[in-house]
Amino acid sequence: MLLIISLIIVALFIYFLKDSLKKYANIFYIGVAVISIAVFLLEFLSMPLFVKNNILGIFAKGSLGTAMFVAVMYAGALPKGSKLIAPLMKIRGELSITAAILVLCHNFTYGMTYFRMLFTKTSLLSATQLAAAVISLVLIAIMLVLTVTSFPSVRKKMQAKKWKQLQRTAYVFYGLMYVHIMLINIPYARLGLGMYIANVVIYSIVFLGYAAMRIAKAVSVKAARAGKTYGKKPETVLYGLALVICAVMTVSCFAGRQTVSASEDNEEWNDFFNEETVAAMVKEIESSTAKTDAEGTTQESLEESVSSDGQSDSQAGGVGNEVSGNSNNSGSDNVSGNSSGNSSDSGNQSAKPDNGSDNSGELSGGSGSDAPANTKFKADGTYTGSAVCETYNYNVTVTIVVSGDVITSVTATSEAGAQDVQYFNMANAKVPAQLLANQSTSGVDSVSGATKSSNAIKKAFYYAYKSAKK
């Protein structure tokens, strides 16, 4: 949906500022570069999810830059005689440079995670992520060459024929861009997430529609030079083919999709998030959180529980928060405890817990050894704990409310970005309620398809519990 908003913004930008862009191009480039750098830096700060996903997201996800490239694409595909050709062709070079600067913001924002993983921890990438990351590097290389040669001062120094041949690599760029976008969105769409299904449909219409228009125009021009006329036949065939491919891409979001449960072995998920990926993440969790403090035994037993949850869900095909960004490691942790509440939280679970157990207020790890039966909380009040996702660098915070030596409320929030928040929400819909009912992480199952988010919530709960203990 951000693409549609971005296309509207670009249309208004061209309508009102096309003359200014042509006249003061360098000022626009500097301004866009400053905005891009600011957005990149703001991504490291805490802010409301709506702002992060829908305002900064237009820049960080590359939606605005892609929309500008769409304008550049269609400028060369519109049929002769179109009233839009003249204004678009007049600023086509300036638009492409501006688009490249905006897209670089996206490359840096997501490259901090995925390029780093590509070169240092390839095993953490699924097959689709790996392909998307490699294609992204090719896209950046092509884009930089096209951008540099789009500056008038550079273009003047090149032979016209060579410059034109070089610019034709833009077609490769557009094609790979579409493949890259599909690799990112289709895996999410196959999970039944509406936003990603919509993205597959919208981007397919835009890019495949362009391909049909551009090829039809090329056929028409070539026929005219040869003194032939084909009428509307080429256009009909090409638009029909584009429509068929678009339908195939849409169907791919649904065909063979299954609901993954803890007892299933699903090949799609095994490919989506393979055993090597899980093993690497579990190893990171163990190495980063195994600490020798006064309560180290209890902490390590919890981490064994978290790791075993991840491994069992992986074997069941349920470990998934992938593609463009959701493995949801619980990573290294920050602990905070206080007796005055801060609970502007989602996923609120405040019903009274089950009273069939005498160990309310106890935390037990995955090794099967419960915390001592005489464990008591410091006092009634509100306590918080946080877990930081090392790979993706966002916080998960759990707030518990203690009353009468019993946990009466468990809430969880996160700073997950747009690519991760869907999976946090999946986990947040179930895990806090289980933690409340069990009064511990013992017996709390991770949510299939959101295992790492579930583990992060459980880890943060542990630290909230730990801060509340005597």
Side-chain angles (χ1 to χ4, degrees):
M1 294 301 177
L2 286 181
L3 179 65
I4 294 177
I5 297 171
S6 298
L7 287 171
I8 294 171
I9 293 172
V10 169
L12 293 173
F13 176 83
I14 293 171
Y15 183 80
F16 289 106
L17 297 174
K18 59 181 181 295
D19 294 330
S20 299
L21 176 61
K22 188 68 178 179
K23 189 174 182 180
Y24 305 108
N26 290 333
I27 294 176
F28 276 90
Y29 301 153
I30 294 171
V32 170
V34 170
I35 292 172
S36 298
I37 293 170
V39 168
F40 173 73
L41 295 175
L42 287 171
E43 283 288 319
F44 294 95
L45 303 179
S46 299
M47 65 187 69
L49 282 178
F50 177 83
V51 175
K52 193 166 190 175
N53 295 340
N54 299 293
I55 298 178
L56 294 185
I58 287 179
F59 297 91
K61 294 177 185 178
S63 301
L64 193 59
T66 301
M68 281 202 172
F69 274 127
V70 168
V72 174
M73 288 160 50
Y74 275 84
L78 292 169
K80 286 188 175 181
S82 173
K83 293 181 180 179
L84 294 175
I85 289 182
L88 285 174
M89 292 302 291
K90 181 181 177 182
I91 56 170
R92 195 181 187 191
E94 288 76 13
L95 280 176
S96 64
I97 294 171
T98 305
I101 296 171
L102 289 169
V103 168
L104 283 174
C105 173
H106 164 72
N107 296 141
F108 277 106
T109 302
Y110 284 84
M112 290 286 291
T113 296
Y114 293 100
F115 291 154
R116 182 175 59 189
M117 291 167 68
L118 177 63
F119 293 111
T120 62
K121 300 177 182 178
T122 308
S123 61
L124 296 183
L125 294 172
S126 69
T128 50
Q129 282 183 315
L130 180 61
V134 171
I135 289 174
S136 184
L137 290 175
V138 176
L139 285 169
I140 292 171
I142 296 174
M143 184 178 71
L144 290 176
V145 173
L146 292 174
T147 300
V148 171
T149 55
S150 292
F151 283 95
S153 57
V154 177
R155 181 177 178 178
K156 289 177 182 177
K157 295 179 180 180
M158 297 181 65
Q159 294 180 6
K161 186 177 180 180
K162 288 185 178 180
W163 182 86
K164 193 171 183 179
Q165 289 175 341
L166 181 63
Q167 290 295 309
R168 284 176 179 165
T169 58
Y171 299 128
V172 177
F173 177 80
Y174 301 146
L176 288 176
M177 186 186 296
Y178 176 66
V179 173
H180 174 76
I181 292 168
M182 291 301 102
L183 286 171
I184 291 172
N185 284 277
I186 287 179
Y188 279 140
R190 289 175 67 82
L191 298 175
L193 301 176
M195 180 177 70
Y196 295 95
I197 295 172
N199 283 345
V200 170
V201 175
I202 293 168
Y203 279 102
S204 292
I205 291 172
V206 170
F207 278 84
L208 296 175
Y210 160 75
M213 287 179 66
R214 187 65 189 89
I215 296 171
K217 184 176 181 178
V219 171
S220 177
V221 170
K222 189 174 182 179
R225 288 175 180 171
K228 299 178 181 179
T229 56
Y230 296 115
K232 294 290 183 180
K233 287 184 179 180
E235 292 181 11
T236 302
V237 172
L238 288 166
Y239 289 137
L241 181 60
L243 186 61
V244 168
I245 297 174
C246 185
V248 169
M249 299 307 292
T250 304
V251 170
S252 70
C253 297
F254 302 94
R257 191 180 71 197
Q258 299 179 16
T259 301
V260 181
S261 67
S263 61
E264 290 178 339
D265 182 15
N266 186 286
E267 291 183 2
E268 177 185 352
W269 275 109
N270 288 338
D271 178 66
F272 198 48
F273 199 90
N274 54 48
E275 292 181 4
E276 291 181 0
T277 303
V278 178
M281 288 187 170
V282 170
K283 185 176 180 180
E284 281 195 7
I285 293 172
E286 291 174 347
S287 63
S288 64
T289 59
K291 300 173 184 177
T292 55
D293 56 15
E295 296 163 303
T297 303
T298 304
Q299 180 174 341
E300 288 174 14
S301 67
L302 169 77
E303 290 169 4
E304 289 172 13
S305 173
V306 173
S307 297
S308 64
D309 283 342
Q311 290 169 338
S312 63
D313 277 2
S314 167
Q315 292 165 357
V319 181
N321 310 327
E322 277 283 314
V323 181
S324 290
N326 197 355
S327 300
N328 285 331
N329 259 345
S330 46
S332 62
D333 308 293
N334 289 334
V335 183
S336 61
N338 53 58
S339 57
S340 61
N342 61 4
S343 57
S344 56
D345 304 318
S346 59
N348 224 338
Q349 305 294 338
S350 57
K352 281 286 182 181
D354 295 339
N355 293 323
S357 172
D358 292 334
N359 68 334
S360 59
E362 296 175 11
L363 177 71
S364 62
S367 62
S369 61
D370 292 336
N374 61 352
T375 298
K376 299 294 181 181
F377 296 113
K378 296 174 183 175
D380 290 354
T382 301
Y383 302 89
T384 62
S386 298
V388 180
C389 180
E390 277 191 343
T391 304
Y392 299 100
N393 296 314
Y394 67 82
N395 291 313
V396 172
T397 300
V398 167
T399 302
I400 64 173
V401 176
V402 175
S403 179
D405 209 34
V406 174
I407 299 173
T408 59
S409 174
V410 178
T411 59
T413 57
S414 82
E415 297 173 4
Q419 300 292 341
D420 306 327
V421 70
Q422 298 275 0
Y423 295 94
F424 172 78
N425 290 341
M426 289 167 62
N428 198 26
K430 296 182 180 181
V431 174
Q434 293 182 48
L435 291 168
L436 177 67
N438 294 4
Q439 296 284 290
S440 73
T441 59
S442 179
V444 176
D445 297 325
S446 295
V447 176
S448 294
T451 304
K452 297 304 173 183
S453 290
S454 301
N455 290 348
I457 292 173
K458 287 190 280 185
K459 184 70 72 70
F461 172 85
Y462 164 72
Y463 287 113
Y465 179 95
K466 184 177 177 181
S467 68
K469 282 169 57 178
K470 276 186 175 181

